[in-house]
Amino acid sequence: MTTMTRPGLPQPTGDVWIHVEDDGSVPTVRRRATELATIAGFDENRVAQVGIAATELASNIVKHAGEGSVVLRRIQAETTTGVELITIDSGPGRRNIHAMVADGTTTSGTLGIGLGAVKRMAGALHLHSVPGHGTVVSAALWPSLEQPAALPVSGLVRPLRGQEVSGDAIAHRAFEGGHLIMAADGLGHGPLAAVASTRAVEVFQESAGVAPGALITRMHGALSGTRGAAVAVVRLDEDTRTVVHAGVGNIAGRLLGEHRSRGMASQPGIVGHNLPRVRETSFDASDTRAVVLHSDGLTEKWELSSLPGVIRQGPAVLAAALMREAGVRRDDASVVVLRVPA
């Protein structure tokens, strides 16, 4: 099966992670955010707004959680490039965080503009907070206040601490009537692992095919001169609400609904070195709200019950919450989330 496709996530391994632990970390977040906005072609006023939003969000971590992480990256919607800011903390959390978005609500110790002003500058602000677990906030800013149509997919890639690059990678393609997502985990860590996972992404993006098993088989030949990788690919057919999954190696997959979670099992093997006959498995996704793939940098021992309401948030918030809850292993980590339309 072939069809016209178009790329989604433009540079899935380009996440910039900044650890925030005190007020001295905030200027770094602001500087890196404004650099990304400048590279994306924002005008001077819009670059300044990105800096203000980044300062407010990073300062909120210091004030309310003590420490946490800010993720900065460029995002793409058709031909428009934007900047996304994601904050993740494991602080006390709040039961009524959405009240902080109301006009006039500020956070002491920051610029005092409040999350309501950040939302106006961003156009869209998504957040999730659970007492005892922490808070996740995502804001996407574009060159103007006019918001392009949001992609139903997002994800995060985090390198092993001390490494400059991650051996994990994620990718997405949209095609007429559906979406494809993939996750790849190059064996080991660092640049050589990244060569394998990046090559898998290149094959995924360059191919016109949408059959998950055939895509992995094609990757196998392309990765033969690399360390190899664990890879999983999922196709969502929106008209039939069907998910087709194929995976080789330690990439976990789940179908998430409001009331139940179903696993999608991968086969043993290494793409590029030891490939079994790749099997595809089809699932009825009529009661599914999101599809998740993640590397073994995230433990599989996570449950949505500990994150009430997160399934109703945007895919970036869901990905960030899962990274916080399950990304506890000392390893590269990646997660990609595809929302299933109602």
Side-chain angles (χ1 to χ4, degrees):
M1 176 181 179
T2 59
T3 187
M4 292 297 293
T5 64
R6 57 186 187 276
L9 296 170
Q11 179 47 274
T13 57
D15 299 346
V16 176
W17 288 76
I18 301 174
H19 183 64
V20 174
E21 57 187 354
D22 54 37
D23 289 332
S25 309
V26 176
T28 300
V29 174
R30 181 187 181 104
R31 175 178 58 81
R32 296 295 297 273
T34 56
E35 287 174 354
L36 283 178
T38 301
I39 293 170
F42 287 25
D43 64 29
E44 184 176 342
N45 179 64
R46 197 66 173 143
V47 168
Q49 289 183 341
V50 170
I52 292 170
T55 300
E56 178 74 11
L57 294 176
S59 297
N60 280 350
I61 292 178
V62 177
K63 174 63 179 177
H64 299 293
E67 65 175 337
S69 296
V70 176
V71 185
L72 309 173
R73 61 186 174 192
R74 288 185 297 158
I75 51 176
Q76 195 79 22
E78 298 297 339
T79 59
T80 303
T81 302
V83 174
E84 187 170 38
L85 317 173
I86 301 174
T87 66
I88 307 168
D89 70 63
S90 299
R94 288 170 172 257
R95 295 187 184 278
N96 194 25
I97 190 173
H98 291 275
M100 294 177 63
V101 183
D103 286 338
T105 303
T106 63
T107 51
S108 60
T110 73
L111 294 177
I113 64 169
L115 291 179
V118 174
K119 181 178 181 180
R120 289 196 300 276
M121 288 187 292
L125 186 74
H126 299 280
L127 27 78
H128 182 261
S129 190
V130 178
H133 286 262
T135 300
V136 172
V137 180
S138 75
L141 291 93
W142 302 91
S144 70
L145 289 176
E146 183 178 350
Q147 299 292 303
L151 286 171
V153 64
S154 187
L156 288 169
V157 175
R158 186 182 67 191
L160 173 69
R161 181 166 290 189
Q163 295 283 345
E164 293 295 323
V165 298
S166 174
D168 287 6
I170 58 176
H172 161 254
R173 280 196 286 136
F175 62 90
E176 185 176 354
H179 296 268
L180 283 162
I181 57 172
M182 69 156 283
D185 180 356
L187 266 64
H189 310 290
L192 292 180
V195 168
S197 60
T198 299
R199 185 64 188 125
V201 169
E202 290 170 350
V203 172
F204 176 85
Q205 297 288 22
E206 292 166 0
S207 175
V210 295
L215 284 167
I216 291 177
T217 300
R218 184 175 177 186
M219 292 174 196
H220 178 62
L223 269 63
S224 62
T226 73
R227 286 184 174 181
V231 180
V233 179
V234 164
R235 183 180 78 236
L236 168 66
D237 295 309
E238 294 181 329
D239 291 340
T240 62
R241 297 187 67 81
T242 300
V243 162
V244 180
H245 168 270
V248 174
N250 293 327
I251 300 292
R254 285 208 214 176
L255 303 172
L256 304 182
E258 286 281 1
H259 305 294
R260 69 166 175 161
S261 169
R262 291 176 286 165
M264 298 181 292
S266 290
Q267 301 169 245
I270 303 171
V271 179
H273 291 280
N274 180 23
L275 190 74
R277 183 175 181 179
V278 183
R279 298 191 303 267
E280 292 185 345
T281 305
S282 296
F283 299 86
D284 177 5
S286 57
D287 63 348
T288 298
R289 297 289 298 273
V291 182
V292 174
L293 295 176
H294 67 75
S295 71
D296 64 354
L298 280 72
T299 175
E300 294 186 53
K301 295 180 180 179
W302 55 267
E303 297 295 339
L304 280 182
S305 58
S306 65
L307 300 168
V310 73
I311 192 69
R312 295 187 288 275
Q313 300 301 316
V317 167
L318 177 51
L322 292 178
M323 183 72 82
R324 182 194 62 209
E325 293 297 301
V328 295
R329 292 176 171 164
R330 192 177 184 278
D331 197 356
D332 297 326
S334 60
V335 56
V336 58
V337 174
L338 174 63
R339 292 298 303 269
V340 179

